[in-house]
Amino acid sequence: MAGVSDHEQDPHDERRTGPVLRRGHMVPPTTTDQRLLDSDQEADWLHTDPWRVLRIQAEFVEGFGALAELGPAVSVFGSARTRPDDPAYGMGVEVGRLLAEAGFAVITGGGPGAMEAANLGAQRAGGRSVGLGIELPFESGLNRYVELGVNFRYFFARKTMFVKYAQGYIVLPGGFGTLDELFEALTLAQTRKITSFPVVLLGVDYWSGLLDWLGSTALERGTISPADLERVQLTDDPAEAVAVVVASRSEDPTAGRGSIGA
């Protein structure tokens, strides 16, 4: 453009790329088609935010496609560090078995420990054993008892699948990841993004301290309500945990699954 050097942009220049308007120095020196067809280019574009949006979209499409016909399901959470000789591992196996026998698919994070235990129990009982894995630097793929697996790059896409296709949560002893999923579900229920969604904590000794703190500190300070605490049930008995979910389904066959607000 006359009067404008190679290093300057005409302040009146503008370009529209879809819904985005760029003016002045925000106008790129090349067009989208040019960059697409240029054979001499770097791969940095793979790491740009617009490209990430497509990856995120693809993860949702893959997850929805894989799980849409799964049928009634329950998500089971727990620590990846739970060893086979830990009582919590045995509870996980029993929960998986009982859920499968009750007609539920078992959805876990697909990793080792308590997740592996629940998948093992479901597989042994001839049920649908599902694992939703996540790309992490310190875990190696899905456990061998997963029969339907989906791997995710993004936690938020994976978390949507846990809630959308489940009719409840059963939560074994676990760490930050388990707590994250637990409080995500409780927040969604509190804000009525999901309805009639039972959450059962399995392991009285492990979880009592947390519930005591919520009741004695958070409740007394008014940061939660009594109804929020009533959303959580606590037991040491896998059969009781599964019975809570079965009872919820009996009361409302559409409970939980697919009830996330748009």
Side-chain angles (χ1 to χ4, degrees):
M1 201 174 288
V4 179
S5 74
D6 292 340
H7 302 290
E8 297 180 39
Q9 288 284 152
D10 185 336
H12 302 293
D13 191 14
E14 71 176 46
R15 182 180 302 165
R16 290 184 180 272
T17 53
V20 179
L21 171 66
R22 299 179 185 274
R23 286 181 174 146
H25 69 278
M26 296 301 293
V27 176
T30 58
T31 67
T32 302
D33 281 344
Q34 180 181 345
R35 292 191 296 275
L36 174 65
L37 298 173
D38 188 357
S39 60
D40 183 22
Q41 58 180 325
E42 298 179 354
D44 290 347
W45 61 276
L46 287 169
H47 307 291
T48 62
D49 286 341
W51 180 248
R52 288 191 181 99
V53 170
L54 296 180
R55 282 182 169 171
I56 292 166
Q57 175 181 287
E59 293 211 338
F60 279 106
V61 170
E62 288 293 337
F64 292 157
L67 302 176
E69 298 179 353
L70 186 61
V74 174
S75 291
V76 180
F77 300 100
S79 176
R81 304 179 186 186
T82 302
R83 299 176 60 86
D85 58 355
D86 189 316
Y89 191 98
M91 287 195 295
V93 174
E94 184 70 358
V95 163
R97 180 184 71 82
L98 292 170
L99 285 171
E101 291 177 352
F104 290 100
V106 173
I107 303 175
T108 78
M115 295 173 282
E116 174 186 285
N119 287 130
L120 170 59
Q123 186 198 65
R124 281 181 177 174
R128 292 152 293 164
S129 178
V130 181
L132 306 182
I134 185 70
E135 181 182 319
L136 293 174
F138 47 79
E139 286 186 18
S140 54
L142 300 172
N143 69 68
R144 64 185 183 275
Y145 304 112
V146 169
E147 295 179 335
L148 174 62
V150 183
N151 274 306
F152 293 86
R153 285 189 179 94
Y154 301 100
F155 271 111
F156 51 85
R158 177 182 183 239
K159 288 166 74 173
T160 299
M161 304 303 154
F162 280 133
V163 179
K164 178 170 176 56
Y165 293 102
Q167 293 187 329
Y169 280 6
I170 295 178
V171 188
L172 293 153
F176 287 158
T178 302
L179 290 168
D180 179 44
E181 299 294 350
L182 167 62
F183 282 103
E184 175 82 7
L186 294 177
T187 301
L188 290 172
Q190 181 193 57
T191 55
R192 299 184 183 179
K193 296 294 185 181
I194 52 176
T195 57
S196 302
F197 196 84
V199 176
V200 186
L201 302 181
L202 195 53
V204 173
D205 287 345
Y206 190 87
W207 294 112
S208 289
L210 173 63
L211 293 181
D212 289 345
W213 177 83
L214 289 172
S216 64
T217 301
L219 184 60
E220 289 186 4
R221 293 282 295 272
T223 53
I224 63 172
S225 70
D228 295 328
L229 279 180
E230 292 170 3
R231 301 180 196 281
V232 186
Q233 301 195 47
L234 177 65
T235 182
D236 271 329
D237 184 1
E240 183 179 349
V242 173
V244 169
V245 178
V246 171
S248 177
R249 181 176 64 173
S250 299
E251 294 169 3
D252 181 3
T254 65
R257 187 170 182 267
S259 62
I260 302 177

